[in-house]
Amino acid sequence: MAYELKQVFASLPQMERGVAKVLGGDPKGNNFLYTNGKTVIIRNIENPAIGDIYTEHAHQVNVAKYSPSGFYIASGDITGKIRIWDTTQKEHLLKYEYTPISGKIKDIAWTEDSKRIAIVGEGREKFGAVFLWDSGSSVGEISGHSKVINSVDIRQKRPYRLATGSDDTCGSFYEGPPFKFKFTIRDHSQFVNCVRFSPDGARFATAGADGMIFIFDGATGERVGSLGEDKAHKGGIYAVSWSPDSSQLISASGDKTVKLWDVGAGTAVTTFNMGSDVSDLQLGCLWQKDHLLSISLSGYINYLDKNNPDRPIRTVKGHSKSIQCLTVHKNEGQTYIYSGIFYHLLLQLFSLIFASHYWDAETGENDCFSGKGHSNQVSKMVTTDAGELVTCSMDDTLRYTNIGKKEYSASDVVKMDFQPKSVSAAVGGLSLAVCIGQIVLLKDKKKVFTLDNFGYEAEVGVIHPGGTTAAVGGADGKVHLYSIQGNTLKDEGQTLDGDGPITDMAYSNDGAYLATIDEKKVARVYSVADSYSVKNDFYGHHAKPVSLAWSPDNEHFATGGMDMMVYVWTVSDPDQRIKLPDCHRLHHVSGLAWINEHTLVTTSHDASVKQWTITY
């Protein structure tokens, strides 16, 4: 019995309004890098469905950059810690770790020989540092600023030069090594968000919240020009990235455009209009080989098309906040993964978007359902034989969404009296919603029966695939069985004992077994035909298991928990099990589903979706 990671659908970058997002590119031009939460995400630029996730930071990580050699990545977090780790091995072994400043690291730059690193950000005593990568010893000082430094870059040829941009509206120019402050650049009138040397070292550009881009001589630091007639952009500029031949650059702005500039002429060759919504603000960009990438406030990664500036070649979508639930459905021979999340799109405006995503299980292509969806966290989702996705949310509604149309329907919403925690569906248009203090039976999207005052706190409910029985797991550590008679739920007085409050449960697809997990870390399988006698108990989780899913073969089921473990259990033999440790390292597993009997899907609060090949 064995397992192997088959595919990773990585999260999007975590975005914040008014804050630039630094994208890193690998020197060979194959991959690009960004961060989300405590993770660094590496994605293939040709096929972004191919991804890798580095999860060793204990705190939120802000920026990551490849060394010019391509063998290492340096990543910096909000505590001022920098980790330098190997890119060539799957394990990403840690090479060195330093804490050069005492606050958030906002940008990182390497010298072209991959031997020195500059970091800048928020610190108490200083806002930046330059040091040798293999010893951490200082090779100069970054002084001359009175506020947070947002950006740093180093000229990629000798003699080395270093430039910075800060919230104090100034840039600074340094010579070295050892790097020494030479002079202040006072051309901007607002925050300087980005500073970048051209690949040939002849020039560097600074971009600011004042909508200006200035160009300087790379060796002397003298100003040689600016881009655009009056301003480069109508809004603040968050990022610039040079073309490989150093003749052009792209800029990303809060005016919802990206511009492509001819630096020699100082004019915009192309303006990419990215949309009219607040989520279309452009907060980062990267020019890598022939690819021009930008990042929107939504977290979407846009591949820009020079020949068609109003329509990206492709837009990489996905999740940028923790995934709460998951299900799988086959549609016209293709398998789709459905995931439910909540993410704060605009922290300042307190506007929340709660989206269900669908993913093509083979290619990783994904999108959001269109139309107006839930207005709060999606807690649970299931699919029906009729091709509908049933979701329950903290907005006190159940929604029925046609999977073929991939669009929320305004009419197929059922308002609940209390907040639903769990939803289940079965044949004949039946669904069961377990709410706080109420159990509701629905038929054909209408409430037909409600149960109140049942004397225990219901946590999760499932309907037998045959549509004859509803099982409800309680905080009292029991499973309560109800028979479904016509349009009513009848308490048969039969309860099954668990070891602790029930956290999740499910019937096998053929209806032969009921599996439960509880807070006491026990998984239990009951044999339905044998009056729900206990078939077997399964022990292994170190912390509360929260998710359970049956394999289509009805002989195996998977459980995932707060211990970051996933187990695949064999019903007939508790000792025959597969343990998947650290499925989503440092993040507990929030959802499980099977594509087929050998492919398990896991999701987590790291906002990624992973597929695993399971062999028995």
Side-chain angles (χ1 to χ4, degrees):
M1 295 176 83
Y3 69 92
E4 186 184 1
L5 182 60
K6 180 182 174 186
Q7 243 179 338
V8 176
F9 299 153
S11 66
L12 293 177
Q14 196 168 340
M15 306 302 287
E16 196 180 322
R17 191 171 181 185
V19 179
K21 191 73 187 176
V22 179
L23 280 174
D26 106 64
K28 297 186 185 70
N30 301 329
N31 299 324
F32 64 100
L33 279 177
Y34 56 81
T35 61
N36 182 321
K38 298 175 187 173
T39 62
V40 177
I41 292 111
I42 306 170
R43 291 183 94 154
N44 181 295
I45 203 155
E46 298 285 348
N47 179 7
I50 299 169
D52 193 3
I53 303 176
Y54 178 77
T55 57
E56 299 299 310
H57 277 275
H59 300 277
Q60 185 181 325
V61 55
N62 240 24
V63 57
K65 290 275 188 78
Y66 273 95
S67 65
S69 68
F71 296 141
Y72 295 97
I73 289 170
S75 50
D77 71 20
I78 57 169
T79 67
K81 182 171 282 183
I82 185 159
R83 294 175 72 89
I84 301 163
W85 40 281
D86 177 275
T87 62
T88 59
Q89 310 292 319
K90 243 192 162 80
E91 293 76 34
H92 298 309
L93 296 171
L94 180 69
K95 188 80 174 162
Y96 301 109
E97 185 177 64
Y98 307 113
T99 311
I101 58 173
S102 56
K104 183 193 290 184
I105 294 176
K106 297 195 76 172
D107 204 5
I108 297 170
W110 294 75
T111 50
E112 44 76 42
D113 58 6
S114 300
K115 291 190 172 152
R116 299 168 192 83
I117 296 173
I119 63 96
V120 296
E122 301 172 8
R124 288 193 199 96
E125 340 39 68
K126 55 181 182 177
F127 301 114
V130 204
F131 52 89
L132 292 172
W133 85 293
D134 55 356
S135 67
S137 51
S138 173
V139 282
E141 64 172 346
I142 294 180
S143 56
H145 286 293
S146 59
K147 286 185 178 167
V148 174
I149 303 177
N150 296 316
S151 188
V152 63
D153 204 19
I154 296 173
R155 187 175 189 233
Q156 292 297 293
K157 62 186 273 193
R158 290 177 184 270
Y160 291 147
R161 301 289 183 260
L162 185 148
T164 55
S166 162
D167 271 9
D168 63 13
T169 76
C170 297
S172 291
F173 190 72
Y174 306 78
E175 291 178 359
F179 289 97
K180 288 193 181 70
F181 172 79
K182 290 304 282 187
F183 55 81
T184 299
I185 297 167
R186 302 188 191 275
D187 298 84
H188 288 280
S189 60
Q190 289 185 41
F191 299 165
V192 183
N193 289 324
C194 187
V195 44
R196 292 290 179 258
F197 279 90
S198 58
D200 66 5
R203 304 266 185 269
F204 70 91
T206 63
D210 53 8
M212 304 295 286
I213 298 173
F214 296 107
I215 306 295
F216 300 84
D217 183 287
T220 66
E222 281 177 55
R223 179 174 154 184
V224 294
S226 63
L227 301 186
E229 287 180 12
D230 178 24
K231 288 185 170 185
H233 283 272
K234 292 191 189 83
I237 302 166
Y238 291 99
V240 294
S241 184
W242 289 83
S243 63
D245 69 0
S246 300
S247 71
Q248 297 178 308
L249 63 77
I250 53 173
S251 56
S253 168
D255 65 8
K256 310 183 184 81
T257 68
V258 173
K259 289 188 181 180
L260 168 60
W261 299 91
D262 176 329
V263 176
T267 54
V269 181
T270 312
T271 298
F272 304 91
N273 293 302
M274 304 309 297
S276 56
D277 203 70
V278 178
S279 62
D280 298 318
L281 298 175
Q282 300 301 297
L283 296 175
C285 61
L286 177 71
W287 192 321
Q288 182 96 317
K289 279 190 180 167
D290 302 329
H291 298 285
L292 280 64
L293 270 56
S294 79
I295 301 191
S296 305
L297 176 57
S298 59
Y300 290 176
I301 301 161
N302 312 295
Y303 284 62
L304 306 176
D305 187 346
K306 290 184 203 172
N307 303 318
N308 186 0
D310 292 341
R311 192 185 172 118
I313 298 165
R314 78 190 306 167
T315 300
V316 179
K317 300 182 179 179
H319 291 307
S320 60
K321 285 271 164 75
S322 66
I323 301 178
Q324 296 294 331
C325 50
L326 171 75
T327 188
V328 163
H329 186 262
K330 286 188 172 59
N331 192 10
E332 294 168 5
Q334 275 185 300
T335 302
Y336 286 92
I337 300 164
Y338 296 87
S339 51
I341 57 140
F342 66 107
Y343 55 88
H344 301 255
L345 191 57
L346 312 171
L347 298 175
Q348 281 89 336
L349 299 183
F350 300 101
S351 149
L352 296 170
I353 304 262
F354 297 85
S356 295
H357 258 74
Y358 55 91
W359 308 71
D360 184 310
E362 285 299 312
T363 66
E365 291 292 322
N366 72 90
D367 208 340
C368 260
F369 281 81
S370 59
K372 191 175 182 326
H374 288 290
S375 60
N376 207 324
Q377 180 179 321
V378 180
S379 315
K380 197 96 174 189
M381 51 170 57
V382 292
T383 54
T384 69
D385 295 341
E388 287 189 308
L389 182 72
V390 190
T391 50
C392 73
S393 160
M394 287 184 175
D395 64 8
D396 298 354
T397 66
L398 253 59
R399 275 182 176 271
Y400 295 82
T401 308
N402 183 306
I403 281 172
K405 288 184 180 164
K406 300 185 171 64
E407 185 180 1
Y408 288 115
S409 154
S411 54
D412 294 334
V413 184
V414 182
K415 183 86 179 87
M416 294 286 156
D417 301 331
F418 301 97
Q419 184 180 306
K421 301 182 189 178
S422 159
V423 66
S424 168
V427 293
L430 286 174
S431 27
L432 181 77
V434 168
C435 306
I436 297 171
Q438 194 175 62
I439 300 167
V440 183
L441 183 69
L442 300 98
K443 184 158 185 168
D444 301 330
K445 309 178 199 173
K446 290 186 173 53
K447 293 188 208 176
V448 291
F449 190 78
T450 56
L451 203 60
D452 299 278
N453 308 322
F454 36 82
Y456 63 95
E457 191 182 333
E459 293 292 340
V460 55
V462 288
I463 304 180
H464 187 273
T468 53
T469 308
V472 178
D476 59 356
K478 291 183 166 54
V479 176
H480 303 256
L481 297 177
Y482 301 85
S483 62
I484 298 172
Q485 298 177 1
N487 289 344
T488 60
L489 289 173
K490 186 162 187 297
D491 187 349
E492 296 294 341
Q494 187 181 358
T495 58
L496 316 172
D497 288 331
D499 282 38
I502 309 295
T503 56
D504 200 10
M505 58 190 205
Y507 279 102
S508 59
N509 304 286
D510 60 2
Y513 300 112
L514 173 67
T516 64
I517 46 177
D518 61 43
E519 284 189 14
K520 291 282 194 277
K521 307 184 274 290
V522 182
R524 183 163 291 166
V525 172
Y526 302 90
S527 178
V528 173
D530 199 9
S531 302
Y532 287 88
S533 62
V534 175
K535 170 87 173 164
N536 267 317
D537 283 348
F538 304 83
Y539 300 93
H541 282 289
H542 307 318
K544 180 170 79 171
V546 293
S547 181
L548 182 153
W550 278 93
S551 162
D553 66 10
N554 300 306
E555 292 166 16
H556 300 90
F557 67 99
T559 59
M562 305 286 265
D563 53 6
M564 301 163 219
M565 301 274 190
V566 169
Y567 284 94
V568 178
W569 308 97
T570 308
V571 172
S572 54
D573 182 1
D575 296 329
Q576 282 274 59
R577 66 184 193 185
I578 302 173
K579 177 180 172 182
L580 285 68
D582 273 349
C583 264
H584 297 261
R585 193 164 156 67
L586 301 176
H587 297 82
H588 78 256
V589 178
S590 58
L592 299 168
W594 294 80
I595 288 176
N596 55 47
E597 55 200 54
H598 292 294
T599 311
L600 177 67
V601 186
T602 62
T603 60
S604 156
H605 292 268
D606 67 4
S608 69
V609 178
K610 296 187 181 184
Q611 290 186 47
W612 307 82
T613 302
I614 308 291
T615 46
Y616 305 114

